[in-house]
Amino acid sequence: MKKPYKQAPEDLPTPAKTHAEIITTHMNADFDALASMIAAKKLYPEATLVFAGSQEKNLRNFFLHTASYLFNFTRLKHIDLNGIRRLILVDTRQRSRIGKLADLVDNKDVEIHIYDHHNDSEEDVHGRVEVIKQVGATTTILTEIINQRGLPISADEATIMCLGIHEDTGSFTFSSTTPEDYRAAAWLTEQGANPNLIADMLTRELTAEQIWLLNDLITSATTQVINGVEVVIARVTREEYVGDFAVLVHKFMEMENLSVIIALAQMEDKVYLVARSRTEEVNVAEIALAFGGGGHPQAASATVKNKTLIQVEKALQALLRSRIVPQKKARDMMSSPVIHISPEATIKDAALALTKYNINVLLVIDNNGELTGYVTRQVVEKAMYFELGYLPLMEYTNIEFSTVGPDASLKQVQELIIEDKLRILPVVDSGKVLGVITRTDLLNILVGGPVIPDFLYESHHAAHFARKKNLAAMLKERLPRRVIQLLKDFGNVADVLGHNAYLVGGLVRDILLKRENLDVDIVVEGDGIKFAHEFAEHHEVRVRSHKKFGTAVLVFPDGFKVDVATARLEYYETPAALPNVEMSSLKLDLYRRDFTINTLAIKLNKREYGTLVDYFGAQKDIREKVIRVLHNLSFVEDPTRVLRAIRFEQRFGFKIGKLTHGLIKNAVAINAFKGLSGRRLFMELKLLLMEQEPIKAIERLGEFNLLQFISPHITLTADLRNLLEEIKGVLSWFDLLYLEEPYRPWKVYWHGLTSSLDAKALHEMAEKMQMGDAESRAMISQRLQAANLLDSLFRCAANSNYEIFKLLSPFDTEILLHLMAKTNNKTIRRMISRYFMSLKGSKSFLRGRDLKALGFKPGPFYKEMLDALLAARLNHAVSTREDEVKFVTDRFGMYLQK
């Protein structure tokens, strides 16, 4: 088979004009499957619509009465499979779910295109084109493509497609529903989708047979507790097929408010399995897949042949015991490491600790590791207000507290925290504090999503508490195969060491933004350096470590690097200072990041590989295109984040949030930059100027009055704006020359930004920014010579190539491009242009050794001869080696040895 590759929807190939292509979907097709087929027909108008097998009865009725009159479906038995050259699969990619058409998968002459929204499985088919997205319905994916292409659809087509989205999202009530589903349905409504027909199809009155079947489901249902999770199993038997079994199961779930239900129905010669789940511990897609079906973690189904109801139920029981994740106990929920203080400490010590770690409750633990009580921020702050900071902490410690053991259930924890209104619940074993469970931890478990914490204790099992979303498929789509394998290897090493490992940083953000990025950063809840060395034991890689920060760099033979860090907490002794670092865990590690959009993590351990962790609403801010800080003192702690906020705003086309905008202004007003290292400021400015569109970022610096911190003499005038625009134009011109000469555009913008500074101001700025390295000194030196160079060019003979070469060759490309943008003199611009296009790098054929071979005695006059020779070459007096030999012998013959 041809090697699969991924394509963006807008790059999909134009459908071949042939009848040898078919569109199909999974057996027991539902409305989303039908709608996806009809939508795919818009992209492949020459393709034939074929069902791979039977359809759900509700769909069959609809098809018979409506779709058969509108669309040209062909029976499978009328298709010559040997003539098929393109197979378009929609709403499935599982080989076992496409019946006889699975034979085409192994035919190397058949090109396969796939559109699907289901999770990966081991029996997935791979195609030349794969458009896989985790949305609520496959119809959503195809609707987006149709909309992007501007393809017209009829009101009937819009109705069926909208019906497909409604069915697979539970009319937008299932947790798998995404914003893309809402947008697709809205667009289809604009195209004329009939809401009355959709409502009629989705809410038909039950027949007498269906009512009896629903009654039997309810009466047969039994509740079992498997690994701490309540599962309802119902079973019914009918001689004849009764349609809409999945609808009946869903009604039962809604009526009884069930968390998990698995219903089995033996009808005719098959057993139908329908499963629904509202809890993350039970992934019903895995259950259905084991029986040859499929679906989503929340809703799935399967059709089982050649087995009795008893056999299926027995297999189901065994499967549930192995697949249901045990419910959390206190040891799974607890936060660690425990931040605590000694009973001998003072109230002032407690105040410092509360501020340093940004928490509201502080445990008091003695030297033997035993818990003696706790203090709250309110008590400590009030004591400090009354100037009691010198008193022993024990005098104000609350010694009445509740604890739980490590095996306490979620229900016990919930009752204690909610009923007793606890802010923190210590987990104690044999008198030792193992960890704590906070209100935030409990809320994250109960609501299934991130709650921005009022204090930041952490759990080693943090990924369980954040909103579950698996990006394994997206990783596979966006990253090279080599990187995917590395991530899985990191997960395996973490499992061996008993650690949790996460992919973090800009790469996770850029995967969601669909931007290119291969900067791999790994955070380990454990010893990051030990993790790196363990990885190196089994891979050809060098390790460079930094014990103070608990970090390591893995360097591969080809130079590829991966940063590994121990999950850590940073705190700042003073504003703008470098942070102090302590070991921590994932949430605290992410909390120290600059902006919410950079706080995402993807778990790499094998069992939960691809699980996205989002504690601070990063996905929401990415969707809304907003830059937000995590806390109000962020810019006071590290003012360079101000420049970073502007950089990210311009790079991604985002907007700085209202509160963050105000905090930047506040940081400027209180001069938070005064303690900032000049070198750090210079490095952030350099990164900002390295962006693809730095002019807008510079304008934002001006709007926030930030240019003063670079130099008080720099202001964003109209002249500076014009110069920057000229630089942009000159850089575009230079790039189009395709000279393959490396240069750094950021330096050109830096020269432009500082162009108004005189020698004194430039030196002051360079000293402030600690620009003492050789590269920076050269930039300063050439900037100071720029004005004199322009004067020299103005006086230079425009037709003398050698004079132009002699003036410009000592200077770097960047300063010359700056001068080209700065000058209004067209003659000077042409000189610089000529230098780049034909003069730069020019050399004579003859060298010193050639002169010696010709009989010239070595001496100082060699330089004079070579300069004269280069001048003759540049001014077209000589062109060949023979011309050069004649030139030097004629002109410098007096130096020849006799």
Side-chain angles (χ1 to χ4, degrees):
M1 183 180 288
K2 296 178 182 177
K3 186 178 180 181
Y5 66 92
K6 312 295 184 194
Q7 282 183 281
E10 60 269 21
D11 298 328
L12 294 175
T14 303
K17 292 187 176 180
T18 173
H19 291 285
E21 56 183 4
I22 60 173
I23 299 170
T24 192
T25 186
H26 55 81
M27 296 185 293
N28 295 316
D30 53 14
F31 280 125
D32 186 34
L34 169 65
S36 297
M37 291 176 71
I38 291 169
K41 178 75 172 174
K42 306 300 292 185
L43 304 179
Y44 302 87
E46 302 299 327
T48 302
L49 297 170
V50 182
F51 282 113
S54 60
Q55 307 92 48
E56 290 186 359
K57 186 172 181 181
N58 199 26
L59 176 58
R60 289 206 304 272
N61 292 336
F62 174 80
F63 180 77
L64 290 172
H65 290 96
T66 307
S68 59
Y69 299 103
L70 298 174
F71 308 103
N72 184 22
F73 281 78
T74 302
R75 291 182 179 273
L76 182 57
K77 65 182 181 181
H78 296 152
I79 298 293
D80 178 12
L81 296 186
N82 294 323
I84 302 301
R85 291 295 172 264
R86 180 182 289 172
L87 174 65
I88 300 112
L89 293 176
V90 297
D91 202 37
T92 188
R93 49 196 157 126
Q94 290 179 234
R95 179 190 292 261
S96 65
R97 302 192 76 195
I98 56 174
K100 293 181 180 179
L101 296 177
D103 295 339
L104 297 175
V105 171
D106 298 320
N107 187 337
K108 63 181 180 180
D109 295 325
V110 177
E111 183 180 283
I112 299 176
H113 293 197
I114 300 171
Y115 301 82
D116 191 21
H117 74 130
H118 294 92
N119 292 330
D120 294 344
S121 73
E122 292 181 359
E123 59 166 325
D124 281 351
V125 172
H126 294 285
R128 183 172 181 269
V129 173
E130 294 184 13
V131 184
I132 315 296
K133 293 181 69 175
Q134 289 191 337
V135 292
T138 299
T139 309
T140 296
I141 299 171
L142 292 155
T143 300
E144 287 180 347
I145 301 172
I146 292 169
N147 188 6
Q148 289 167 6
R149 290 193 179 185
L151 300 176
I153 63 172
S154 68
D156 291 324
E157 290 167 333
T159 299
I160 295 174
M161 289 163 67
C162 201
L163 177 60
I165 296 174
H166 269 274
E167 184 193 53
D168 246 30
T169 62
S171 291
F172 312 105
T173 63
F174 292 166
S175 60
S176 57
T177 306
T178 68
E180 288 91 337
D181 299 304
Y182 286 102
R183 285 194 287 268
W187 184 77
L188 292 169
T189 302
E190 291 172 353
Q191 308 312 305
N194 186 334
N196 294 324
L197 178 58
I198 293 170
D200 182 53
M201 290 301 303
L202 293 173
T203 59
R204 285 187 172 182
E205 291 185 7
L206 299 182
T207 64
E209 278 185 324
Q210 289 171 333
I211 292 172
W212 279 111
L213 188 60
L214 177 59
N215 179 70
D216 289 351
L217 275 175
I218 296 171
T219 55
S220 71
T222 59
T223 301
Q224 301 182 23
V225 178
I226 302 174
N227 290 337
V229 179
E230 285 190 357
V231 178
V232 173
I233 299 177
R235 61 202 66 71
V236 293
T237 302
R238 287 292 186 276
E239 291 298 323
E240 302 293 330
Y241 180 85
V242 179
D244 294 337
F245 183 53
V247 174
L248 300 179
V249 175
H250 191 76
K251 277 187 177 294
F252 180 22
M253 187 180 199
E254 294 296 324
M255 289 165 57
E256 300 295 331
N257 193 26
L258 304 176
S259 295
V260 181
I261 179 170
I262 300 175
L264 304 173
Q266 181 151 13
M267 293 188 275
E268 297 177 337
D269 59 345
K270 300 172 186 173
V271 176
Y272 297 88
L273 180 150
V274 173
R276 298 289 185 266
S277 172
R278 288 173 172 157
T279 176
E280 64 185 38
E281 284 84 6
V282 183
N283 182 337
V284 293
E286 291 184 355
I287 306 298
L289 184 63
F291 289 99
H296 315 283
Q298 300 82 20
S301 63
T303 302
V304 185
K305 298 178 182 178
N306 304 319
K307 285 190 178 181
T308 66
L309 185 64
I310 295 173
Q311 288 175 310
V312 174
E313 185 174 1
K314 185 176 179 181
L316 175 64
Q317 294 281 1
L319 191 65
L320 289 173
R321 282 192 290 273
S322 66
R323 296 297 176 91
I324 292 181
V325 180
Q327 270 206 334
K328 300 175 184 67
K329 297 186 180 297
R331 69 172 73 252
D332 305 312
M333 297 179 278
M334 72 183 186
S335 306
S336 61
V338 177
I339 300 171
H340 64 277
I341 195 168
S342 167
E344 287 76 31
T346 64
I347 288 175
K348 183 178 180 182
D349 295 332
L352 291 172
L354 290 166
T355 302
K356 172 180 172 181
Y357 296 108
N358 193 31
I359 56 176
N360 289 339
V361 182
L362 191 60
L363 295 188
V364 182
I365 300 178
D366 65 22
N367 294 332
N368 296 320
E370 293 189 7
L371 179 65
T372 61
Y374 69 90
V375 289
T376 64
R377 179 182 291 274
Q378 290 91 334
V379 170
V380 170
E381 285 182 348
K382 189 163 287 189
M384 291 297 294
Y385 175 78
F386 290 116
E387 299 182 354
L388 302 176
Y390 61 91
L391 290 176
L393 180 63
M394 277 306 297
E395 295 191 18
Y396 293 92
T397 297
N398 190 331
I399 59 173
E400 294 181 354
F401 52 86
S402 301
T403 65
V404 291
D407 293 321
S409 67
L410 171 61
K411 186 176 181 181
Q412 291 173 290
V413 171
Q414 183 177 342
E415 287 174 353
L416 279 170
I417 290 181
I418 295 177
E419 293 179 10
D420 296 347
K421 297 182 174 61
L422 302 179
R423 305 189 70 171
I424 192 169
L425 180 61
V427 181
V428 178
D429 187 27
S430 301
K432 306 296 182 184
V433 180
L434 304 180
V436 293
I437 301 171
T438 68
R439 287 189 305 193
T440 301
D441 289 335
L442 181 62
L443 279 171
N444 281 333
I445 297 168
L446 296 179
V447 305
V451 178
I452 303 300
D454 55 351
F455 45 87
L456 284 167
Y457 284 101
E458 176 50 273
S459 165
H460 287 299
H461 301 274
H464 292 298
F465 305 156
R467 186 176 302 281
K468 283 292 184 92
K469 183 175 183 179
N470 194 287
L471 298 187
M474 190 175 289
L475 289 174
K476 186 178 178 182
E477 177 186 343
R478 298 292 303 163
L479 299 178
R481 185 175 300 173
R482 175 197 179 185
V483 175
I484 292 295
Q485 188 57 52
L486 277 178
L487 298 182
K488 292 182 177 179
D489 290 346
F490 289 139
N492 292 336
V493 172
D495 287 336
V496 169
L497 295 176
H499 297 338
N500 289 329
Y502 301 88
L503 176 67
V504 300
L507 178 54
V508 183
R509 174 200 67 215
D510 288 346
I511 286 170
L512 293 181
L513 288 172
K514 297 186 178 179
R515 296 175 64 94
E516 294 300 320
N517 187 346
L518 288 179
D519 294 333
V520 180
D521 292 303
I522 305 296
V523 163
V524 178
E525 286 186 313
D527 189 332
I529 295 177
K530 181 180 178 182
F531 174 92
H533 283 288
E534 177 68 23
F535 181 86
E537 286 288 323
H538 308 284
H539 297 79
E540 189 180 353
V541 63
R542 290 186 295 111
V543 179
R544 297 202 307 256
S545 60
H546 195 309
K547 288 187 178 180
K548 178 181 177 183
F549 293 102
T551 60
V553 180
L554 299 173
V555 184
F556 292 80
D558 61 356
F560 184 74
K561 296 178 182 178
V562 173
D563 291 321
V564 177
T566 302
R568 61 193 193 268
L569 164 68
E570 293 179 351
Y571 62 91
Y572 297 76
E573 296 287 1
T574 59
L578 288 172
N580 294 318
V581 177
E582 293 182 5
M583 283 187 63
S584 179
S585 49
L586 183 68
K587 191 190 295 182
L588 284 169
D589 186 275
L590 297 176
Y591 188 68
R592 68 183 178 82
R593 310 275 163 158
D594 45 15
F595 308 108
T596 56
I597 62 170
N598 294 328
T599 61
L600 292 168
I602 296 176
K603 195 163 188 180
L604 302 180
N605 297 68
K606 186 174 181 179
R607 184 174 177 83
E608 296 178 87
Y609 175 79
T611 299
L612 181 68
V613 181
D614 180 8
Y615 289 114
F616 306 107
Q619 294 174 87
K620 178 175 180 288
D621 286 344
I622 288 173
R623 285 195 301 269
E624 295 178 358
K625 298 186 175 183
V626 178
I627 304 292
R628 302 185 205 274
V629 290
L630 276 80
H631 60 87
N632 291 9
L633 292 176
S634 183
F635 296 132
V636 175
E637 288 182 346
D638 185 359
T640 62
R641 290 172 177 167
V642 173
L643 276 70
R644 232 171 295 155
I646 292 171
R647 177 155 55 93
F648 289 142
E649 178 190 47
Q650 300 308 316
R651 180 193 298 179
F652 302 131
F654 284 16
K655 277 289 184 186
I656 293 175
K658 188 175 181 181
L659 173 62
T660 304
H661 188 283
L663 294 174
I664 292 176
K665 287 190 170 183
N666 177 69
V668 173
I670 66 173
N671 194 12
F673 292 80
K674 64 184 177 184
L676 180 65
S677 156
R679 188 65 181 172
R680 290 183 65 209
L681 179 60
F682 173 67
M683 295 308 295
E684 280 297 333
L685 176 63
K686 176 180 173 180
L687 289 171
L688 185 145
L689 296 177
M690 289 171 69
E691 291 293 316
Q692 195 168 357
E693 295 285 345
I695 296 177
K696 291 181 180 178
I698 294 171
E699 289 176 342
R700 285 294 260 171
L701 292 177
E703 291 172 19
F704 284 114
N705 198 21
L706 290 163
L707 294 173
Q708 61 172 312
F709 300 114
I710 301 170
S711 169
H713 304 289
I714 297 178
T715 54
L716 190 63
T717 61
D719 288 342
L720 178 55
R721 280 193 175 92
N722 292 336
L723 174 57
L724 294 173
E725 288 294 340
E726 286 291 338
I727 288 173
K728 181 179 178 181
V730 166
L731 295 182
S732 297
W733 165 81
F734 188 75
D735 289 337
L736 290 172
L737 295 179
Y738 298 105
L739 298 178
E740 296 184 358
E741 177 185 338
Y743 78 106
R744 298 180 179 179
W746 75 267
K747 289 187 178 182
V748 189
Y749 283 109
W750 184 88
H751 287 309
L753 187 62
T754 61
S755 60
S756 63
L757 301 184
D758 57 23
K760 180 183 177 184
L762 193 62
H763 281 302
E764 287 175 351
M765 185 203 69
E767 184 178 352
K768 173 186 174 183
M769 292 193 169
Q770 300 170 5
M771 297 174 66
D773 58 284
E775 183 182 33
S776 298
R777 290 199 305 271
M779 289 171 60
I780 299 294
S781 173
Q782 294 193 10
R783 244 286 286 117
L784 291 173
Q785 299 175 60
N788 292 334
L789 179 58
L790 281 178
D791 290 339
S792 300
L793 286 170
F794 186 74
R795 294 192 297 270
C796 174
N799 59 352
S800 174
N801 286 341
Y802 179 65
E803 288 300 315
I804 295 171
F805 179 86
K806 195 161 65 170
L807 281 172
L808 299 184
S809 59
F811 290 89
D812 294 336
T813 297
E814 293 85 2
I815 190 68
L816 297 181
L817 292 173
H818 162 65
L819 291 179
M820 197 172 182
K822 186 176 177 63
T823 183
N824 293 320
N825 189 302
K826 292 183 179 179
T827 301
I828 292 177
R829 283 192 166 198
R830 282 195 290 268
M831 289 180 181
I832 299 175
S833 172
R834 194 190 320 162
Y835 171 74
F836 281 126
M837 296 176 70
S838 59
L839 305 181
K840 188 175 184 184
S842 296
K843 295 178 182 177
S844 59
F845 285 112
L846 300 183
R847 299 287 187 272
R849 63 178 178 273
D850 300 311
L851 296 178
K852 184 177 181 180
L854 288 172
F856 291 99
K857 184 178 180 180
F861 59 86
Y862 265 29
K863 183 179 186 307
E864 179 186 352
M865 295 170 67
L866 292 172
D867 284 347
L869 191 56
L870 181 59
R873 183 171 185 78
L874 291 172
N875 291 329
H876 308 298
V878 297
S879 58
T880 66
R881 183 183 179 88
E882 290 72 21
D883 291 342
E884 290 188 5
V885 171
K886 186 175 185 306
F887 177 86
V888 295
T889 53
D890 288 350
R891 184 166 175 178
F892 299 99
M894 74 286 292
Y895 294 121
L896 282 169
Q897 298 183 67
K898 304 208 177 166

